Amino acid sequence: MTLIPIHDLDDPRIAIYRSLKATNATRGLDGFVVEGEKLVRRLLASRFPTESILLTDRHVDRLGATVPDDVPTYVAPFERVHDLVGFPFHQGALACGRRLPWPDWRTLWGEATGPLRFVVCPRVSNPENLGSIARLSDAFGFDGILVGPSCPDPLSRRVLRVSMGSALRVPILTADDPLALAVAMKRELGLAFLAAEAREATPFEDVAAPDRLAVVLGDEDRGVDPAWVAFCSRSITIPMPGAASSLNVAAAAAILLHHFRRR
């Protein structure tokens, strides 16, 4: 590993790390940023090429041995890295990955012969919620996540941070028309689609996990769109005997994905 000292925060080689809080909209960029030692290690181990790494001078010894020789590794003074990224940053390590598209869904799963599990998020708008859903999908063995065009960028810094790198492992496919994609996947993969609703519906505990399923989660404000409810094989709900009438979408996902996890 060759260390490259950074003395000027305006150095163009570290532009991708500048003012991260103000430049969180990464969907149109070729690169994306992960923060913290764990995520840097997970980026290095992922299918996404690592373009560069930025370490503070206090963190070099912790990561140095794991960085390939061909990855530029910049070192900045710890006292100045906060000015660079635009917020108090104490984790000491950042990395830039190169964006790659996921393969087409037929390439990923068209030849699969066993069970398949998916989560569908047509309009989830909060990056923390999408990051949590990615982490849950990774934890409970779900094969992929389908999202609509208004959902957060799956490789945005906040999604990656909350997912703890699971968004680098679990395919998150963005479709301009996710319902049309769901129709094709239902036809060709034999998926059973279940709409998760807050209103009265079949309690989820009463539904056995089919071999191939997709759980459709609603957005934070309006729930599952009626067009999706009509498309799904059935609606399920989480019984709530208390005063609250609904759960955060990530909390609901935790309950449902654990119940329908791959066995």
Side-chain angles (χ1 to χ4, degrees):
M1 177 187 66
T2 302
L3 299 177
I4 306 169
I6 295 295
H7 304 292
D8 182 0
L9 297 188
D10 291 327
D11 190 319
R13 295 174 295 181
I14 57 171
I16 189 69
Y17 303 107
R18 188 170 296 118
S19 303
L20 291 178
K21 200 166 187 177
T23 58
N24 196 51
T26 55
R27 194 184 296 273
L29 302 179
D30 292 333
F32 60 90
V33 173
V34 301
E35 58 185 62
E37 180 181 340
K38 288 183 179 179
L39 289 190
V40 171
R41 293 182 187 278
R42 288 169 188 175
L43 173 62
L44 287 168
S46 76
R47 63 186 288 270
F48 297 93
T50 303
E51 296 284 302
S52 67
I53 292 175
L54 176 66
L55 304 176
T56 70
D57 50 9
R58 298 182 185 179
H59 219 77
V60 171
D61 293 340
R62 292 177 61 86
L63 268 172
T66 65
V67 179
D69 291 337
D70 60 345
V71 176
T73 304
Y74 304 108
V75 181
F78 175 81
E79 294 77 9
R80 302 199 64 197
V81 73
H82 317 297
D83 296 328
L84 174 68
V85 302
F87 55 89
F89 184 75
H90 303 287
Q91 298 188 63
L94 302 115
C96 172
R98 176 159 35 99
R99 186 181 295 271
L100 292 176
W102 286 101
D104 177 80
W105 66 270
R106 290 184 177 89
T107 301
L108 288 169
W109 304 298
E111 301 299 321
T113 57
L116 289 171
R117 303 280 190 270
F118 297 96
V119 183
V120 184
C121 303
R123 288 192 307 202
V124 168
S125 58
N126 186 294
E128 279 83 2
N129 284 337
L130 183 57
S132 294
I133 291 167
R135 190 172 183 181
L136 290 164
S137 299
D138 197 10
F140 295 131
F142 275 60
D143 296 278
I145 304 170
L146 313 180
V147 301
S150 63
C151 290
D153 174 15
L155 295 177
S156 67
R157 185 174 58 88
R158 291 163 68 192
V159 171
L160 287 166
R161 184 183 67 224
V162 175
S163 79
M164 286 304 296
S166 289
L168 301 172
R169 287 191 293 262
V170 179
I172 304 178
L173 307 185
T174 302
D176 290 335
D177 187 346
L179 185 53
L181 175 59
V183 170
M185 292 181 71
K186 179 179 181 179
R187 180 179 63 249
E188 297 187 33
L189 299 180
L191 298 176
F193 282 78
L194 307 178
E197 297 198 81
R199 67 173 180 82
E200 184 175 343
T202 304
F204 75 94
E205 304 104 320
D206 296 341
V207 178
D211 283 343
R212 297 191 166 197
L213 68 82
V215 178
V216 181
L217 302 173
D219 69 18
E220 292 86 350
D221 296 325
R222 292 166 291 180
V224 181
D225 186 273
W228 278 96
V229 175
F231 166 73
C232 289
S233 304
R234 67 195 307 175
S235 292
I236 58 174
T237 192
I238 300 171
M240 288 173 279
S245 60
S246 64
L247 295 173
N248 170 274
V249 64
I255 295 170
L256 296 174
L257 270 60
H258 179 267
H259 176 70
F260 291 117
R261 67 193 183 278
R262 180 181 296 166
R263 290 178 169 82

